[in-house]
Amino acid sequence: YCGGSHIWGDALASFTNNLDVIAPDLPGSGGTVAGTEPLTVDAIGRHVLALLAAASVETADVIGHDLGGLVGIWLALNHPARVRSLSIVASPTSAPAGDSLDDLLFATPPRPLWSRESQAWALERVSYSHAHIDDRLLDACVAASEGEPHRQAVESMKTNFGKAFAPSINRTKGQLWETCRNAGLPVPAQIVWANHDPATTREAGFVLFDVISAKQKAAQMHVINRAGSLPFREQAAAFHHIVASFGEGVRQEKAHMAA
């Protein structure tokens, strides 16, 4: 399915009661063109840094879903002063490498790819229940599939997946393991996993948590029940409570230490 900020639906609205929220389309998704350089974790991370600078945001609570979780890790590792806290959400890309569940999960999709039927099928495959898949979501996914950013991303993956994109994932994960083995992740972090996520396993989330929490004591692990790969859509209230409480706790702790 074609991702972008539209995937979050109304899940971020509750955060705006007392916080400013930036929900960007990352390069190659939604309305943001991929650019001229190959899509990599590093390139997407630099895009986020530029976005924060353009918005005059010095530090932020970063919430990253799937690939966005690994981009958040890249930011925390390379620019920790910009990351007040990090929430890694349903992110098999960030978890330890193993057999790829995507190969089976998305086998034999309806043709043509990126059609409304094909994207609805993919969203159903990654969900615990299809109840959250509404016309608004499908309309946005189809619109994204018809845009230039998506076309650029598809072309980039065809030519650069093996030589640029996949190596950047492995490089960032390697940097994470090395950092956690030595000094530790320099920012507070929580892992938010889903109990019925067909794209990853609970065990993968717990291993990621064990690695991060070994030397970063401000670390939490939460598993949301009755949710698949999009827990912020399927269990929006539980997701908001978990992420908002963690961010508020980090901000209060930092304010106490500065007082």
Side-chain angles (χ1 to χ4, degrees):
Y1 60 88
C2 293
S5 57
H6 58 272
I7 291 295
W8 292 86
D10 297 326
L12 300 180
S14 51
F15 289 91
T16 63
N17 292 331
N18 60 343
L19 296 170
D20 294 323
V21 175
I22 301 174
D25 292 332
L26 296 180
S29 70
T32 303
V33 295
T36 56
E37 65 175 314
L39 282 175
T40 62
V41 174
D42 312 70
I44 297 172
R46 289 191 293 269
H47 175 87
V48 174
L49 287 174
L51 173 63
L52 292 176
S56 300
V57 175
E58 294 186 2
T59 184
D61 298 303
V62 176
I63 306 171
H65 169 247
D66 198 4
L67 176 62
L70 193 60
V71 174
I73 289 171
W74 183 92
L75 290 167
L77 293 172
N78 296 285
H79 300 274
R82 311 304 298 274
V83 181
R84 184 166 47 223
S85 70
L86 173 62
S87 296
I88 304 167
V89 181
S91 179
T93 315
S94 303
D99 294 337
S100 176
L101 298 181
D102 283 355
D103 292 343
L104 296 176
L105 186 61
F106 295 121
T108 63
R111 302 285 176 168
L113 294 178
W114 321 119
S115 65
R116 190 182 189 88
E117 179 187 6
S118 183
Q119 295 200 64
W121 174 87
L123 287 164
E124 289 175 0
R125 294 285 289 167
V126 300
S127 300
Y128 173 72
S129 166
H130 61 78
H132 72 96
I133 305 171
D134 53 20
D135 286 338
R136 185 170 59 149
L137 173 61
L138 293 176
D139 289 345
C141 288
V142 171
S145 73
E146 296 171 347
E148 181 65 12
H150 174 68
R151 187 197 67 78
Q152 292 180 350
V154 171
E155 291 303 314
S156 180
M157 290 298 102
K158 287 180 181 177
T159 57
N160 297 306
F161 180 84
K163 63 183 181 181
F165 184 70
S168 76
I169 290 176
N170 294 332
R171 183 168 59 249
T172 303
K173 291 167 74 167
Q175 184 183 3
L176 173 65
W177 308 139
E178 181 180 1
T179 299
C180 291
R181 186 169 56 246
N182 296 317
L185 190 70
V187 304
Q190 69 169 347
I191 313 300
V192 182
W193 233 241
N195 199 32
H196 300 90
D197 188 345
T200 186
T201 63
R202 290 188 299 270
E203 290 74 18
F206 281 116
V207 170
L208 179 61
F209 171 71
D210 288 343
V211 169
I212 290 175
S213 64
K215 292 190 176 180
Q216 172 51 267
K217 300 309 177 185
Q220 297 182 9
M221 172 81 190
H222 297 276
V223 179
I224 298 178
N225 197 28
R226 292 188 299 241
S229 299
L230 306 170
F232 44 86
R233 292 188 64 92
E234 296 196 74
Q235 299 293 341
F239 176 81
H240 175 260
H241 176 72
I242 289 169
V243 176
S245 297
F246 182 70
E248 179 64 21
V250 170
R251 291 190 293 276
Q252 288 182 0
E253 179 66 19
K254 289 185 179 293
H256 176 74
M257 293 177 63

